[in-house]
């Protein structure tokens, strides 16, 4: 029996085909076909998303464990070391980078012709990256991004120093109070060490050259991505073009061959163990733990990205709730004041003025009591007696307010 199951998840952009012998093969758009632009963009974006997730998670954990602050102090080195292990393991076992292997992609030398025709693309199953190509790929995947990150941090510091110098004056100049003159940088640098002067000059050079370098690399990256999107080139980036490597989808047979190759490599590594039996047992246990961590690194790191997004949403919602003003229900209105015995009595009809016992004209209220009268009646009474007609509370004509409910 033959049937095809199409999986729509971005983690498994493939078709699962179950053959009569019960083996599961993964194929996407034909063996060795070129991945789409969106697959390559997602694979290129994954390391940056992963770094943001790990930095945020470690920052949250560092609130309770101050020791983790050291990892944040050496963020570039820690993440580069982690990616060095993951990328080296992925290139060694799958001929792909860590993010490319997650999307079922493989790297192939450019001398292999890639066509959409399955017969012509079958030649790519036996091609593998040479050792030199794997090492250079590791340099482009780990070393160059690390150097660019360090240059970016140096540029930011130099830029902040220039901004401060423009606001508060040049920090390389000081005032000599004895001679009432400015001491130039050359005079002060004579007392400084050679290393300090070289560092400052290097920072200035980076501050001048890094914007050009960054603009050039980003421009080339954008140009290659546009050409790749328009099917004008088979290289997604300048690094792949310099390495002479195409990225293509892995066929089911390649995935199976990679699994068997990993088993053979690990078997050879276990056979190389030397020493007493207990030492070999300990080394074997360490190897098994290492293999388990590497095998589940993709799942764990993807879970870390999901956890990062979940924590970001949770804390953002909590901050919004805390920053939002608290709305309390209004308090109940105070009870009406009591009518004094010597004051005028309130008629049963609330539309009648208590003073003239006629229907109110120009209804007005006394703010000290809240009772409503005709404006002319209450004005005359308050002017004469300086009190509220009903409660006999002290009042003035300034406390009479016209009601405009009938406007």
């Amino acid at each position: 029996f033959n049937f095809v199951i199409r999986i729509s998840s971005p983690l498994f952009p493939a078709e699962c085909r179950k053959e009569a012998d019960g083996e599961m093969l993964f194929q996407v758009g034909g063996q060795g076909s070129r991945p789409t632009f969106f697959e390559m963009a997602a694979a290129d974006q994954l390391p940056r998303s992963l770094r943001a997730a790990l930095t945020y998670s470690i920052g949250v954990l560092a609130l309770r464990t101050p020791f983790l602050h050291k990892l944040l102090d050496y963020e570039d080195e820690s993440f580069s070391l982690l990616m060095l292990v993951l990328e080296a393991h992925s290139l060694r076992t799958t001929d792909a980078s860590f993010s490319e292997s997650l999307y079922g992609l493989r790297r192939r030398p450019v001398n292999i012709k890639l066509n959409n025709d399955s017969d012509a693309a079958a030649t790519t199953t036996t091609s593998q990256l040479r050792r030199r190509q794997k090492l250079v790929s590791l340099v482009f995947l780990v070393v160059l991004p690390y150097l660019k990150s360090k240059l970016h941090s140096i540029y930011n510091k130099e830029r902040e120093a220039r901004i401060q110098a423009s606001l508060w004056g040049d920090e390389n100049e000081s005032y000599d109070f004895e001679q009432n003159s400015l001491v130039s940088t050359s005079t002060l640098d004579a007392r400084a060490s050679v290393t300090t002067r070289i560092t400052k000059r290097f920072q200035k050079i980076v501050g001048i050259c890094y914007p050009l370098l960054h603009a050039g690399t980003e421009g080339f990256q954008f140009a290659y991505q546009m050409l790749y999107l328009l099917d004008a080139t088979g290289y997604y980036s300048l690094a792949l073009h310099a390495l002479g490597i195409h990225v293509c989808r892995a066929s089911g047979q390649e995935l199976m061959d990679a699994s068997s190759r990993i088993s053979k490599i690990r078997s050879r590594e276990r056979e190389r163990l030397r020493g007493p039996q207990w030492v070999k047992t300990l080394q074997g246990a360490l190897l098994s733990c290492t293999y388990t961590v590497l095998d589940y690194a993709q799942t764990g790191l993807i879970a870390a990205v999901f956890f990062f997004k979940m924590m970001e949403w949770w804390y953002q919602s909590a901050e919004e709730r805390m920053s939002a003003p608290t709305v309390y229900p209004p308090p109940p209105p105070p009870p009406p004041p009591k009518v004094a015995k010597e004051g005028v009595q309130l008629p049963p009809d609330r539309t009648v003025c208590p003073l003239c016992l006629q229907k109110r004209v120009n209804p007005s209220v006394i703010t000290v009591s809240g009772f409503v009268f005709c404006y002319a009646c209450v004005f005359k009474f308050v002017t004469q007696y300086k009190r509220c007609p009903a409660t006999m509370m002290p009042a003035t004509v300034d406390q009479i307010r016209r009601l405009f409910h009938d406007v």
Side-chain angles (χ1 to χ4, degrees):
F1 59 94
N2 294 326
F3 64 92
V4 174
I5 304 173
R6 183 176 296 277
I7 301 176
S8 59
S9 171
L11 298 180
F12 301 97
E15 293 179 359
C16 301
R17 177 175 298 171
K18 188 171 183 180
E19 304 292 344
D21 56 359
E23 294 180 349
M24 298 297 292
L25 301 180
F26 295 85
Q27 293 183 348
V28 185
Q31 179 182 358
S33 62
R34 196 182 76 159
T36 63
F37 172 80
F38 300 101
E39 288 177 307
M40 295 297 297
D44 183 59
Q45 183 65 26
L46 182 61
R48 290 187 286 270
S49 301
L50 179 61
R51 177 170 182 169
L54 292 178
T55 303
Y56 184 82
S57 302
I58 294 175
V60 173
L61 295 176
L63 297 177
R64 295 182 176 271
T65 309
F67 175 76
L68 296 178
H69 281 290
K70 295 183 179 180
L71 292 178
L72 297 178
D73 295 337
Y74 298 95
E75 177 185 349
D76 295 332
E77 290 76 11
S78 302
F79 183 76
S80 298
L81 182 60
L82 174 63
M83 294 307 298
L84 179 63
V85 175
L86 295 178
E87 299 289 4
H89 173 73
S90 181
L91 287 171
R92 181 187 180 191
T93 56
T94 63
D95 285 346
S97 67
F98 172 75
S99 56
E100 291 167 355
S101 63
L102 184 65
Y103 285 87
L105 306 178
R106 295 293 181 269
R107 295 192 170 199
R108 294 291 174 261
V110 72
N111 56 351
I112 302 298
K113 185 177 181 181
L114 299 177
N115 295 321
N116 292 328
D117 185 16
S118 59
D119 295 334
T123 57
T124 62
T125 57
T126 57
S127 64
Q128 295 181 4
L129 295 179
R130 295 185 294 272
R131 181 179 179 85
R132 174 181 170 277
Q133 290 176 325
K134 292 181 180 180
L135 292 176
V136 180
S137 297
L138 201 60
V139 171
F140 276 94
L141 291 171
V142 179
V143 179
L144 293 184
Y146 168 74
L147 294 178
K148 185 177 180 181
S149 178
K150 299 302 290 185
L151 290 177
H152 184 72
S153 61
I154 294 174
Y155 169 74
N156 286 336
K157 293 180 181 179
E158 180 65 21
R159 179 171 171 269
E160 292 177 359
R162 288 201 305 267
I163 294 175
Q164 291 180 359
S166 63
L167 294 176
W168 307 104
D170 191 358
E171 63 179 0
N172 293 326
E173 292 183 349
S174 62
Y175 193 79
D176 191 348
F177 292 96
E178 295 181 356
Q179 299 181 0
N180 295 332
S181 61
L182 288 174
V183 181
S184 63
T185 306
S186 59
T187 305
L188 295 177
D189 285 345
R191 306 170 187 174
S193 62
V194 178
T195 305
T196 305
R197 285 182 291 175
I198 294 176
T199 302
K200 290 183 178 181
R201 290 179 183 177
F202 177 74
Q203 291 176 351
K204 291 182 179 180
I205 293 174
V206 171
I208 297 174
C209 298
Y210 178 77
L212 301 176
L213 177 63
H214 180 70
T217 54
E218 292 296 324
F220 274 110
Q221 182 70 14
F222 177 75
Y224 270 93
Q225 290 178 359
M226 290 298 298
L227 292 175
Y228 188 88
L229 180 62
L230 300 175
D231 292 334
T233 182
Y235 301 101
Y236 179 77
S237 65
L238 178 63
L240 294 175
H241 198 170
L243 293 172
I245 291 176
H246 275 307
V247 177
C248 60
R249 293 190 180 96
S251 64
Q253 187 62 38
E254 287 177 331
L255 295 176
M256 296 174 61
D257 292 342
S259 179
S260 61
R261 185 168 65 252
I262 293 174
S263 300
K264 293 179 180 178
I265 292 174
R266 293 179 178 179
S267 298
R268 288 197 300 266
E269 290 178 350
R270 292 181 183 276
E271 292 174 357
R272 294 175 183 174
L273 300 179
R274 296 291 183 268
Q277 185 62 32
W278 67 273
V279 175
K280 295 173 63 176
T281 303
L282 180 60
Q283 293 175 349
L286 293 176
L287 282 178
S288 299
C289 294
T290 304
Y291 296 152
T292 303
V293 171
L294 293 175
D295 290 338
Y296 291 96
Q298 290 182 347
T299 305
L301 293 176
I302 294 302
V305 174
F306 174 79
F307 177 75
F308 159 69
K309 292 297 182 182
M310 188 68 182
M311 294 293 292
E312 185 180 30
W313 169 81
W314 178 266
Y315 280 100
Q316 184 177 4
S317 301
E319 290 177 357
E320 290 177 355
R321 290 195 299 268
M322 295 177 63
S323 60
T326 304
V327 179
Y328 297 101
K338 294 181 180 181
V339 179
K341 294 181 180 181
E342 58 273 15
V344 295
Q345 300 301 314
L346 300 178
D349 189 358
R350 296 185 177 182
T351 62
V352 175
C353 174
L355 292 174
C356 65
L357 299 180
Q358 301 294 328
K359 189 173 182 179
R360 286 192 299 260
V361 179
N362 293 331
S364 302
V365 64
I366 298 180
T367 58
V368 295
S369 63
F371 290 110
V372 182
F373 308 88
C374 295
Y375 179 78
C377 298
V378 71
F379 185 85
K380 185 186 299 183
F381 188 92
V382 172
T383 303
Q384 183 178 358
Y385 298 103
K386 307 295 183 182
R387 292 182 180 276
C388 172
T391 62
M392 303 306 293
M393 298 172 62
T396 62
V397 293
D398 295 334
Q399 295 174 329
I400 300 174
R401 295 291 184 270
R402 169 74 191 278
L403 296 180
F404 297 97
H405 66 279
D406 55 344
V407 176

